[in-house]
Amino acid sequence: MLMSKLKFIVFFLGIIHANINLNLESQYGSGSNVNDQTQDTTSYYYFENLFDINVNYRNLNLYTQLEYSNPPIYGEEIISSKNLASSYFIEYFNDFLMFKWGYIQTINNYGLDINMFQDQSIDFDNRIKGIELRYLPNDVVEFNYISGNGTFGTKSKGDLRVNDLNFDHKLDSYGMNIYSDFGEFSISSSSKKTFYDEGIYNTLSNSDTRFAIDLQDYIIFDSNYVNENSEVELNAINFSYSNTLGNFDIYIENSHNIYNKVLREDDKDEEGYLRYFALSGDIFGMSLSYEFKDYYMLYYMPIISNPPTVFFESSSVLISRIQHNINFSDEIGHQLELSFNGKYNLSYLFNLSMGMKHSGIRSSEWYFDDDDNFMYYDYESVSFSDFFGSNGMDYTDEAFIAHKPFRNLYAEITRWNNNNSLYSKVGYHSHYSYDANSDKVYQTYTIPTQFVVGQSKNSLTTYLEYQYTKNFDPFTFEEKEFLTYKHLALSYYINKIGSITYLRDEENITFLSNSDFSKDNVWEGIELSLKISSTMQLSIFQGSQKGGLVCANGVCAVQPSFEDGTKITFRALF
């Protein structure tokens, strides 16, 4: 029945001369999953098919995505015809009006208040199903309105393939943008509701965030709370300003929020904020950018908002595996980046990013106040100057590590030769991190390199990376293990045909607490990518792959190691 309707729609749109674009992506995989912690092996299989239909006719856009997955790489299986249309919207627009109904994917300003999107590579989807309206009566003012409901899913553990925590949520937002000679202004108001079902509070409180600790304290004195539903309502006022001042662009955004804590609907007096500042421009022939974030929403779980991460995100395979997993409710940080061109076709890039929590984890020491209330001591506040002490990031400083600090330093040199037949890139990355709850207590140093040699439209590309990690015991702060990783990707591209790639990962772990016992692991594979036509591509992988983090916009999922299997991907545009 569904296919008959689709055929009729496509036939009808063809008659009226609509512009139709079709995109098919099919992925198949079969092999073994390996738990990187326990080394347990389980069978692994997926068959995921996504079919996108985009139709443009005059002032109308129609989009739908059909999915048949049995099962998908991440998420629930979709095999029933009733659920095949997993995403859709219809949009009308003209010179002064835009109206959209369906699954809303949009961002307001830099996402401190609203940033809704879907990323199937990490099974993330915070969109609502509803309406979006934008009205532009002239060149100076724009009005906007968004309203709808959605269901947001997340995982209590990063290595799960299916979300085990789901929350219904609702959004109503309206605002105004002003475009003037003095800059661009934006002001908006939003109301967000999140609905918590009974029975999930023990899972939500199983961490050391301020949100989880507060929930622990509340439900521990009355176990009946765990069987109650709860509604959290947040009201926000968001303001932003941007302008160009000389050679520099400046951007400021602030979102002020009032909300209630989980299970305390009658106390809507908790205040918090999200703040972001960015400055970028050219000075003395160099490109300079600076970003600052201050996210203080300690007792709130954000769904709709997704503000800037404010740390360096690299395309390096090894660096991406240790990427910081941001807490959008509790983090303050800076990022500074400098790039410029030098002699001999050399280009230089330097990046420094660092961040930490506001209050840190709770101290284990306690006391009774003057009213005999049970109280915990707070750790002393720390500053970013502590990131560069005489001992570096001092992991023996209890107050410092309680704030879960991280610091990234990246430097890169790239060069094209005069006839663009040889490209080279060499980088250096230093990452310090402390997060005992996530088992991220380490110092890591990475050297990523890339070399491309071109020969009459054919090319040979080599990615060679080395990484060395010192892992610390989160309680004694003594060195626990040394880890070295080597990554090689050797790819030869043949014009109009495709490419063949050899992939190899090596891992060596030395356990210092076990008489310097060490173990080695190797993952190897071959990938063949064929360009069937200008609009069709087939990729076949055979072998094993090292697992690791897959991240987008600071949200990460764990991709487990894959052994002795086959992966096939087919992509086509029509």
Side-chain angles (χ1 to χ4, degrees):
M1 180 65 71
L2 177 62
M3 294 305 299
S4 298
K5 292 181 179 179
L6 287 174
K7 290 178 181 178
F8 173 77
I9 293 173
V10 172
F11 176 75
F12 174 75
L13 293 172
I15 292 177
I16 62 175
H17 304 293
N19 182 24
I20 304 175
N21 295 301
L22 307 177
N23 180 24
L24 172 65
E25 180 179 77
S26 295
Q27 298 187 81
Y28 165 86
S30 178
S32 299
N33 258 353
V34 180
N35 187 302
D36 291 330
Q37 300 296 324
T38 66
Q39 298 301 305
D40 292 336
T41 301
T42 57
S43 61
Y44 182 59
Y45 172 81
Y46 62 83
F47 182 49
E48 180 176 288
N49 302 273
L50 303 175
F51 186 55
D52 294 334
I53 303 174
N54 287 279
V55 179
N56 308 110
Y57 177 68
R58 295 184 178 177
N59 291 28
L60 283 174
N61 289 330
L62 173 65
Y63 168 81
T64 184
Q65 181 182 82
L66 306 179
E67 178 177 357
Y68 178 86
S69 297
N70 188 22
I73 299 175
Y74 288 110
E76 300 280 355
E77 66 176 26
I78 300 177
I79 57 177
S80 172
S81 60
K82 296 180 180 179
N83 302 321
L84 292 185
S86 58
S87 180
Y88 51 84
F89 68 79
I90 184 170
E91 178 184 48
Y92 172 82
F93 63 93
N94 56 34
D95 292 339
F96 58 89
L97 179 68
M98 189 282 291
F99 175 81
K100 181 185 292 184
W101 173 85
Y103 286 89
I104 306 300
Q105 180 164 310
T106 188
I107 181 172
N108 280 3
N109 303 313
Y110 274 46
L112 274 68
D113 185 35
I114 296 175
N115 184 6
M116 297 183 291
F117 63 96
Q118 180 188 36
D119 191 319
Q120 288 166 314
S121 67
I122 58 172
D123 195 25
F124 180 88
D125 187 356
N126 67 342
R127 298 171 302 168
I128 60 171
K129 182 180 177 182
I131 61 172
E132 179 181 11
L133 177 66
R134 296 186 182 274
Y135 175 58
L136 297 85
N138 51 51
D139 295 335
V140 177
V141 179
E142 174 187 331
F143 299 96
N144 55 76
Y145 175 71
I146 304 173
S147 179
N149 302 275
T151 299
F152 172 73
T154 187
K155 300 173 177 64
S156 59
K157 295 187 296 182
D159 58 352
L160 295 176
R161 289 184 66 181
V162 179
N163 293 325
D164 60 336
L165 299 173
N166 294 282
F167 306 88
D168 291 333
H169 60 101
K170 182 178 180 180
L171 170 68
D172 288 289
S173 172
Y174 51 91
M176 176 177 63
N177 298 331
I178 300 175
Y179 309 98
S180 73
D181 295 335
F182 304 101
E184 297 182 7
F185 301 84
S186 172
I187 186 169
S188 63
S189 174
S190 63
S191 173
K192 306 172 185 177
K193 293 183 179 180
T194 306
F195 303 94
Y196 294 76
D197 293 333
E198 60 177 302
I200 66 171
Y201 304 115
N202 288 329
T203 302
L204 289 177
S205 62
N206 188 26
S207 74
D208 58 3
T209 65
R210 287 287 168 167
F211 172 86
I213 291 172
D214 174 74
L215 193 54
Q216 292 171 19
D217 290 344
Y218 193 73
I219 66 178
I220 195 171
F221 294 108
D222 191 342
S223 60
N224 291 324
Y225 285 133
V226 301
N227 297 318
E228 292 185 8
N229 296 327
S230 180
E231 176 185 316
V232 172
E233 181 177 0
L234 178 144
N235 293 295
I237 298 294
N238 185 267
F239 173 81
S240 72
Y241 171 75
S242 63
N243 200 358
T244 299
L245 304 174
N247 293 329
F248 285 87
D249 295 324
I250 185 174
Y251 182 83
I252 303 171
E253 186 172 352
N254 181 81
S255 180
H256 181 261
N257 305 277
I258 299 177
Y259 61 98
N260 64 281
K261 296 180 179 179
V262 177
L263 292 170
R264 281 149 284 186
E265 287 86 344
D266 296 330
D267 299 324
K268 293 182 173 62
D269 56 359
E270 198 66 39
E271 295 191 39
Y273 58 81
L274 300 170
R275 295 169 181 164
Y276 174 75
F277 171 78
L279 179 70
S280 62
D282 296 327
I283 181 171
F284 305 122
M286 299 181 293
S287 296
L288 175 70
S289 67
Y290 167 74
E291 291 179 283
F292 169 73
K293 65 182 174 186
D294 187 358
Y295 305 149
Y296 187 81
M297 297 288 295
L298 300 186
Y299 310 109
Y300 183 75
M301 183 185 72
I303 292 179
I304 296 297
S305 64
N306 230 278
T309 59
V310 192
F311 59 77
F312 182 71
E313 297 184 63
S314 172
S315 59
S316 159
V317 172
L318 295 185
I319 294 176
S320 65
R321 292 176 184 167
I322 58 167
Q323 183 169 295
H324 173 64
N325 196 355
I326 187 174
N327 183 341
F328 289 113
S329 296
D330 182 13
E331 195 154 298
I332 182 171
H334 306 263
Q335 178 172 223
L336 179 66
E337 184 169 293
L338 179 68
S339 62
F340 59 92
N341 297 322
K343 295 181 178 180
Y344 312 112
N345 295 333
L346 291 171
S347 298
Y348 301 87
L349 171 68
F350 300 94
N351 183 283
L352 171 66
S353 59
M354 51 189 175
M356 62 180 175
K357 308 300 180 233
H358 284 88
S359 303
I361 61 176
R362 186 167 65 185
S363 172
S364 59
E365 299 182 2
W366 52 271
Y367 66 97
F368 289 101
D369 65 8
D370 295 336
D371 298 323
D372 292 328
N373 294 315
F374 185 83
M375 305 290 290
Y376 286 93
Y377 285 103
D378 290 326
Y379 286 104
E380 295 181 3
S381 60
V382 298
S383 69
F384 282 99
S385 62
D386 296 317
F387 285 61
F388 305 96
S390 58
N391 297 323
M393 293 182 66
D394 187 2
Y395 287 151
T396 64
D397 185 338
E398 189 174 354
F400 180 62
I401 64 173
H403 290 76
K404 296 189 177 182
F406 76 91
R407 188 189 73 195
N408 294 321
L409 176 64
Y410 182 75
E412 177 185 285
I413 301 176
T414 60
R415 183 182 185 273
W416 279 102
N417 67 350
N418 290 329
N419 60 4
N420 291 333
S421 62
L422 176 63
Y423 171 80
S424 57
K425 177 173 71 174
V426 179
Y428 170 78
H429 182 263
S430 169
H431 177 73
Y432 283 45
S433 175
Y434 183 91
D435 187 349
N437 193 62
S438 301
D439 197 28
K440 289 185 175 182
V441 188
Y442 50 62
Q443 300 171 0
T444 296
Y445 310 94
T446 309
I447 300 177
T449 67
Q450 179 187 4
F451 303 96
V452 182
V453 179
Q455 299 176 347
S456 64
K457 297 184 180 181
N458 301 335
S459 62
L460 176 66
T461 302
T462 303
Y463 292 93
L464 183 61
E465 303 183 20
Y466 173 82
Q467 187 176 88
Y468 173 71
T469 297
K470 292 191 292 185
N471 215 343
F472 294 84
D473 187 289
F475 303 103
T476 65
F477 309 113
E478 296 179 352
E479 293 178 350
K480 182 174 63 174
E481 56 191 18
F482 296 148
L483 304 93
T484 58
Y485 297 98
K486 299 174 184 177
H487 172 77
L488 171 66
L490 186 63
S491 179
Y492 186 69
Y493 172 78
I494 303 175
N495 185 39
K496 297 182 180 180
I497 296 178
S499 63
I500 183 169
T501 304
Y502 169 71
L503 298 162
R504 180 182 176 91
D505 276 282
E506 296 182 13
E507 173 188 69
N508 174 267
I509 305 177
T510 301
F511 301 93
L512 302 181
S513 60
N514 197 357
S515 301
D516 290 350
F517 169 75
S518 65
K519 69 175 184 178
D520 299 290
N521 291 306
V522 176
W523 296 264
E524 288 182 299
I526 296 288
E527 184 174 36
L528 179 64
S529 181
L530 298 176
K531 189 175 182 181
I532 301 174
S533 69
S534 60
T535 60
M536 293 186 185
Q537 183 182 38
L538 176 66
S539 175
I540 304 173
F541 172 86
Q542 178 65 45
S544 303
Q545 286 181 316
K546 165 68 177 169
L549 288 178
V550 180
C551 300
N553 292 42
V555 182
C556 301
V558 177
Q559 176 68 55
S561 294
F562 178 79
E563 290 196 355
D564 301 325
T566 302
K567 295 183 177 181
I568 301 174
T569 301
F570 174 74
R571 296 184 177 93
L573 298 173
F574 306 97

mmCIF file of all heavy atoms in Angstrom, residues 167-196:
data_model
loop_
_atom_site.group_PDB
_atom_site.id
_atom_site.type_symbol
_atom_site.label_atom_id
_atom_site.label_comp_id
_atom_site.label_asym_id
_atom_site.label_seq_id
_atom_site.Cartn_x
_atom_site.Cartn_y
_atom_site.Cartn_z
ATOM 1 N N PHE A 167 12.756 10.389 26.519
ATOM 2 C CA PHE A 167 12.065 11.494 27.172
ATOM 3 C C PHE A 167 11.192 12.212 26.159
ATOM 4 O O PHE A 167 11.678 12.658 25.109
ATOM 5 C CB PHE A 167 13.071 12.488 27.755
ATOM 6 C CG PHE A 167 14.096 11.879 28.668
ATOM 7 C CD1 PHE A 167 15.281 11.383 28.167
ATOM 8 C CD2 PHE A 167 13.856 11.789 30.026
ATOM 9 C CE1 PHE A 167 16.231 10.813 28.993
ATOM 10 C CE2 PHE A 167 14.787 11.221 30.870
ATOM 11 C CZ PHE A 167 15.982 10.734 30.360
ATOM 12 N N ASP A 168 9.921 12.339 26.463
ATOM 13 C CA ASP A 168 9.053 13.205 25.673
ATOM 14 C C ASP A 168 9.359 14.650 26.040
ATOM 15 O O ASP A 168 9.646 14.966 27.207
ATOM 16 C CB ASP A 168 7.579 12.896 25.962
ATOM 17 C CG ASP A 168 7.164 11.536 25.434
ATOM 18 O OD1 ASP A 168 7.774 11.057 24.460
ATOM 19 O OD2 ASP A 168 6.235 10.930 26.022
ATOM 20 N N HIS A 169 9.293 15.524 25.059
ATOM 21 C CA HIS A 169 9.582 16.934 25.342
ATOM 22 C C HIS A 169 8.758 17.825 24.429
ATOM 23 O O HIS A 169 8.256 17.392 23.378
ATOM 24 C CB HIS A 169 11.078 17.234 25.193
ATOM 25 C CG HIS A 169 11.628 16.965 23.833
ATOM 26 N ND1 HIS A 169 11.857 17.956 22.905
ATOM 27 C CD2 HIS A 169 12.022 15.804 23.226
ATOM 28 C CE1 HIS A 169 12.350 17.425 21.805
ATOM 29 N NE2 HIS A 169 12.459 16.126 21.964
ATOM 30 N N LYS A 170 8.629 19.077 24.832
ATOM 31 C CA LYS A 170 7.784 20.036 24.123
ATOM 32 C C LYS A 170 8.499 21.376 24.063
ATOM 33 O O LYS A 170 9.187 21.779 25.003
ATOM 34 C CB LYS A 170 6.436 20.182 24.854
ATOM 35 C CG LYS A 170 5.455 21.126 24.170
ATOM 36 C CD LYS A 170 4.137 21.179 24.935
ATOM 37 C CE LYS A 170 3.152 22.112 24.246
ATOM 38 N NZ LYS A 170 1.859 22.198 24.971
ATOM 39 N N LEU A 171 8.302 22.074 22.948
ATOM 40 C CA LEU A 171 8.942 23.376 22.751
ATOM 41 C C LEU A 171 7.966 24.382 22.188
ATOM 42 O O LEU A 171 7.202 24.079 21.264
ATOM 43 C CB LEU A 171 10.131 23.244 21.790
ATOM 44 C CG LEU A 171 10.760 24.556 21.284
ATOM 45 C CD1 LEU A 171 11.457 25.287 22.422
ATOM 46 C CD2 LEU A 171 11.721 24.289 20.143
ATOM 47 N N ASP A 172 7.993 25.594 22.745
ATOM 48 C CA ASP A 172 7.302 26.757 22.179
ATOM 49 C C ASP A 172 8.281 27.920 22.239
ATOM 50 O O ASP A 172 8.783 28.263 23.317
ATOM 51 C CB ASP A 172 6.039 27.098 22.964
ATOM 52 C CG ASP A 172 4.924 26.093 22.727
ATOM 53 O OD1 ASP A 172 4.366 26.094 21.632
ATOM 54 O OD2 ASP A 172 4.645 25.289 23.652
ATOM 55 N N SER A 173 8.544 28.536 21.081
ATOM 56 C CA SER A 173 9.529 29.612 21.035
ATOM 57 C C SER A 173 9.099 30.669 20.041
ATOM 58 O O SER A 173 8.566 30.357 18.969
ATOM 59 C CB SER A 173 10.901 29.055 20.630
ATOM 60 O OG SER A 173 11.825 30.092 20.412
ATOM 61 N N TYR A 174 9.315 31.924 20.410
ATOM 62 C CA TYR A 174 9.063 33.013 19.479
ATOM 63 C C TYR A 174 10.138 34.073 19.685
ATOM 64 O O TYR A 174 10.651 34.261 20.793
ATOM 65 C CB TYR A 174 7.670 33.613 19.660
ATOM 66 C CG TYR A 174 7.326 33.999 21.072
ATOM 67 C CD1 TYR A 174 7.585 35.290 21.552
ATOM 68 C CD2 TYR A 174 6.739 33.081 21.945
ATOM 69 C CE1 TYR A 174 7.265 35.649 22.846
ATOM 70 C CE2 TYR A 174 6.418 33.440 23.246
ATOM 71 C CZ TYR A 174 6.678 34.717 23.690
ATOM 72 O OH TYR A 174 6.375 35.071 24.990
ATOM 73 N N GLY A 175 10.521 34.745 18.596
ATOM 74 C CA GLY A 175 11.591 35.722 18.704
ATOM 75 C C GLY A 175 11.608 36.693 17.547
ATOM 76 O O GLY A 175 10.755 36.658 16.652
ATOM 77 N N MET A 176 12.632 37.541 17.566
ATOM 78 C CA MET A 176 12.752 38.608 16.577
ATOM 79 C C MET A 176 14.230 38.873 16.304
ATOM 80 O O MET A 176 15.054 38.900 17.220
ATOM 81 C CB MET A 176 12.078 39.877 17.094
ATOM 82 C CG MET A 176 12.218 41.095 16.197
ATOM 83 S SD MET A 176 11.314 42.526 16.846
ATOM 84 C CE MET A 176 12.180 42.808 18.391
ATOM 85 N N ASN A 177 14.555 39.054 15.023
ATOM 86 C CA ASN A 177 15.890 39.464 14.602
ATOM 87 C C ASN A 177 15.821 40.866 14.018
ATOM 88 O O ASN A 177 14.887 41.189 13.268
ATOM 89 C CB ASN A 177 16.465 38.508 13.553
ATOM 90 C CG ASN A 177 16.628 37.097 14.093
ATOM 91 O OD1 ASN A 177 16.843 36.898 15.281
ATOM 92 N ND2 ASN A 177 16.515 36.117 13.206
ATOM 93 N N ILE A 178 16.814 41.684 14.349
ATOM 94 C CA ILE A 178 16.885 43.055 13.844
ATOM 95 C C ILE A 178 18.220 43.229 13.129
ATOM 96 O O ILE A 178 19.283 42.954 13.701
ATOM 97 C CB ILE A 178 16.753 44.078 14.983
ATOM 98 C CG1 ILE A 178 15.414 43.903 15.701
ATOM 99 C CG2 ILE A 178 16.881 45.498 14.441
ATOM 100 C CD1 ILE A 178 15.261 44.803 16.915
ATOM 101 N N TYR A 179 18.169 43.699 11.877
ATOM 102 C CA TYR A 179 19.358 43.912 11.073
ATOM 103 C C TYR A 179 19.541 45.418 10.875
ATOM 104 O O TYR A 179 18.699 46.075 10.258
ATOM 105 C CB TYR A 179 19.231 43.216 9.726
ATOM 106 C CG TYR A 179 18.838 41.756 9.845
ATOM 107 C CD1 TYR A 179 17.507 41.365 9.688
ATOM 108 C CD2 TYR A 179 19.784 40.782 10.133
ATOM 109 C CE1 TYR A 179 17.139 40.033 9.799
ATOM 110 C CE2 TYR A 179 19.421 39.443 10.253
ATOM 111 C CZ TYR A 179 18.101 39.082 10.086
ATOM 112 O OH TYR A 179 17.724 37.759 10.211
ATOM 113 N N SER A 180 20.619 45.967 11.415
ATOM 114 C CA SER A 180 20.822 47.417 11.371
ATOM 115 C C SER A 180 22.276 47.729 11.043
ATOM 116 O O SER A 180 23.133 46.847 10.987
ATOM 117 C CB SER A 180 20.451 48.048 12.722
ATOM 118 O OG SER A 180 21.437 47.739 13.705
ATOM 119 N N ASP A 181 22.551 49.034 10.856
ATOM 120 C CA ASP A 181 23.917 49.475 10.607
ATOM 121 C C ASP A 181 24.791 49.332 11.847
ATOM 122 O O ASP A 181 26.024 49.424 11.755
ATOM 123 C CB ASP A 181 23.920 50.937 10.151
ATOM 124 C CG ASP A 181 23.223 51.126 8.805
ATOM 125 O OD1 ASP A 181 23.179 50.135 8.039
ATOM 126 O OD2 ASP A 181 22.735 52.232 8.537
ATOM 127 N N PHE A 182 24.187 49.113 12.994
ATOM 128 C CA PHE A 182 24.939 48.979 14.238
ATOM 129 C C PHE A 182 25.165 47.515 14.612
ATOM 130 O O PHE A 182 25.653 47.212 15.708
ATOM 131 C CB PHE A 182 24.188 49.686 15.373
ATOM 132 C CG PHE A 182 23.899 51.124 15.098
ATOM 133 C CD1 PHE A 182 22.637 51.528 14.679
ATOM 134 C CD2 PHE A 182 24.899 52.084 15.224
ATOM 135 C CE1 PHE A 182 22.369 52.854 14.414
ATOM 136 C CE2 PHE A 182 24.639 53.419 14.962
ATOM 137 C CZ PHE A 182 23.370 53.806 14.549
ATOM 138 N N GLY A 183 24.779 46.618 13.713
ATOM 139 C CA GLY A 183 24.957 45.204 13.977
ATOM 140 C C GLY A 183 23.639 44.456 13.900
ATOM 141 O O GLY A 183 22.573 45.030 13.618
ATOM 142 N N GLU A 184 23.701 43.165 14.143
ATOM 143 C CA GLU A 184 22.520 42.312 14.132
ATOM 144 C C GLU A 184 22.158 41.923 15.566
ATOM 145 O O GLU A 184 23.006 41.466 16.327
ATOM 146 C CB GLU A 184 22.773 41.059 13.292
ATOM 147 C CG GLU A 184 23.049 41.356 11.831
ATOM 148 C CD GLU A 184 23.257 40.094 11.011
ATOM 149 O OE1 GLU A 184 23.056 38.986 11.578
ATOM 150 O OE2 GLU A 184 23.618 40.200 9.822
ATOM 151 N N PHE A 185 20.885 42.108 15.895
ATOM 152 C CA PHE A 185 20.375 41.791 17.222
ATOM 153 C C PHE A 185 19.343 40.673 17.119
ATOM 154 O O PHE A 185 18.606 40.579 16.134
ATOM 155 C CB PHE A 185 19.714 43.015 17.869
ATOM 156 C CG PHE A 185 20.610 44.206 18.025
ATOM 157 C CD1 PHE A 185 20.798 45.090 16.968
ATOM 158 C CD2 PHE A 185 21.270 44.437 19.224
ATOM 159 C CE1 PHE A 185 21.621 46.196 17.103
ATOM 160 C CE2 PHE A 185 22.092 45.538 19.373
ATOM 161 C CZ PHE A 185 22.278 46.425 18.308
ATOM 162 N N SER A 186 19.295 39.871 18.141
ATOM 163 C CA SER A 186 18.283 38.812 18.205
ATOM 164 C C SER A 186 17.812 38.667 19.641
ATOM 165 O O SER A 186 18.617 38.652 20.574
ATOM 166 C CB SER A 186 18.864 37.478 17.723
ATOM 167 O OG SER A 186 17.959 36.419 17.958
ATOM 168 N N ILE A 187 16.507 38.562 19.810
ATOM 169 C CA ILE A 187 15.937 38.316 21.122
ATOM 170 C C ILE A 187 14.793 37.317 20.967
ATOM 171 O O ILE A 187 14.019 37.384 20.014
ATOM 172 C CB ILE A 187 15.441 39.613 21.804
ATOM 173 C CG1 ILE A 187 14.981 39.310 23.228
ATOM 174 C CG2 ILE A 187 14.366 40.299 20.984
ATOM 175 C CD1 ILE A 187 14.720 40.554 24.064
ATOM 176 N N SER A 188 14.738 36.354 21.872
ATOM 177 C CA SER A 188 13.700 35.325 21.777
ATOM 178 C C SER A 188 13.334 34.835 23.165
ATOM 179 O O SER A 188 14.089 34.989 24.128
ATOM 180 C CB SER A 188 14.172 34.144 20.917
ATOM 181 O OG SER A 188 15.291 33.508 21.507
ATOM 182 N N SER A 189 12.156 34.253 23.240
ATOM 183 C CA SER A 189 11.671 33.647 24.478
ATOM 184 C C SER A 189 11.206 32.237 24.146
ATOM 185 O O SER A 189 10.562 32.009 23.123
ATOM 186 C CB SER A 189 10.518 34.462 25.061
ATOM 187 O OG SER A 189 9.953 33.809 26.187
ATOM 188 N N SER A 190 11.530 31.300 25.013
ATOM 189 C CA SER A 190 11.139 29.918 24.764
ATOM 190 C C SER A 190 10.679 29.252 26.044
ATOM 191 O O SER A 190 11.120 29.586 27.150
ATOM 192 C CB SER A 190 12.299 29.129 24.153
ATOM 193 O OG SER A 190 13.392 29.052 25.044
ATOM 194 N N SER A 191 9.770 28.304 25.861
ATOM 195 C CA SER A 191 9.291 27.459 26.952
ATOM 196 C C SER A 191 9.552 26.002 26.564
ATOM 197 O O SER A 191 9.127 25.559 25.495
ATOM 198 C CB SER A 191 7.794 27.681 27.196
ATOM 199 O OG SER A 191 7.297 26.750 28.149
ATOM 200 N N LYS A 192 10.259 25.291 27.437
ATOM 201 C CA LYS A 192 10.623 23.901 27.157
ATOM 202 C C LYS A 192 10.135 23.017 28.308
ATOM 203 O O LYS A 192 10.320 23.355 29.479
ATOM 204 C CB LYS A 192 12.139 23.756 27.014
ATOM 205 C CG LYS A 192 12.761 24.695 26.003
ATOM 206 C CD LYS A 192 14.274 24.646 26.050
ATOM 207 C CE LYS A 192 14.897 25.674 25.120
ATOM 208 N NZ LYS A 192 16.378 25.695 25.215
ATOM 209 N N LYS A 193 9.543 21.904 27.937
ATOM 210 C CA LYS A 193 9.087 20.942 28.938
ATOM 211 C C LYS A 193 9.687 19.572 28.631
ATOM 212 O O LYS A 193 9.698 19.140 27.478
ATOM 213 C CB LYS A 193 7.559 20.856 28.950
ATOM 214 C CG LYS A 193 6.874 22.132 29.429
ATOM 215 C CD LYS A 193 5.355 21.960 29.482
ATOM 216 C CE LYS A 193 4.671 23.228 29.980
ATOM 217 N NZ LYS A 193 3.201 23.089 30.033
ATOM 218 N N THR A 194 10.173 18.922 29.674
ATOM 219 C CA THR A 194 10.709 17.570 29.566
ATOM 220 C C THR A 194 9.956 16.672 30.536
ATOM 221 O O THR A 194 9.773 17.035 31.704
ATOM 222 C CB THR A 194 12.212 17.531 29.892
ATOM 223 O OG1 THR A 194 12.904 18.477 29.079
ATOM 224 C CG2 THR A 194 12.771 16.141 29.640
ATOM 225 N N PHE A 195 9.528 15.502 30.060
ATOM 226 C CA PHE A 195 8.721 14.595 30.871
ATOM 227 C C PHE A 195 9.538 13.350 31.220
ATOM 228 O O PHE A 195 10.048 12.657 30.341
ATOM 229 C CB PHE A 195 7.445 14.209 30.118
ATOM 230 C CG PHE A 195 6.612 15.404 29.712
ATOM 231 C CD1 PHE A 195 6.753 15.969 28.453
ATOM 232 C CD2 PHE A 195 5.712 15.968 30.602
ATOM 233 C CE1 PHE A 195 6.012 17.070 28.071
ATOM 234 C CE2 PHE A 195 4.961 17.076 30.234
ATOM 235 C CZ PHE A 195 5.110 17.632 28.976
ATOM 236 N N TYR A 196 9.671 13.107 32.524
ATOM 237 C CA TYR A 196 10.448 11.981 33.040
ATOM 238 C C TYR A 196 9.485 10.892 33.511
ATOM 239 O O TYR A 196 8.603 11.151 34.340
ATOM 240 C CB TYR A 196 11.328 12.425 34.210
ATOM 241 C CG TYR A 196 12.431 13.397 33.839
ATOM 242 C CD1 TYR A 196 12.146 14.742 33.582
ATOM 243 C CD2 TYR A 196 13.746 12.979 33.749
ATOM 244 C CE1 TYR A 196 13.149 15.639 33.244
ATOM 245 C CE2 TYR A 196 14.757 13.861 33.414
ATOM 246 C CZ TYR A 196 14.453 15.189 33.167
ATOM 247 O OH TYR A 196 15.453 16.070 32.833
#
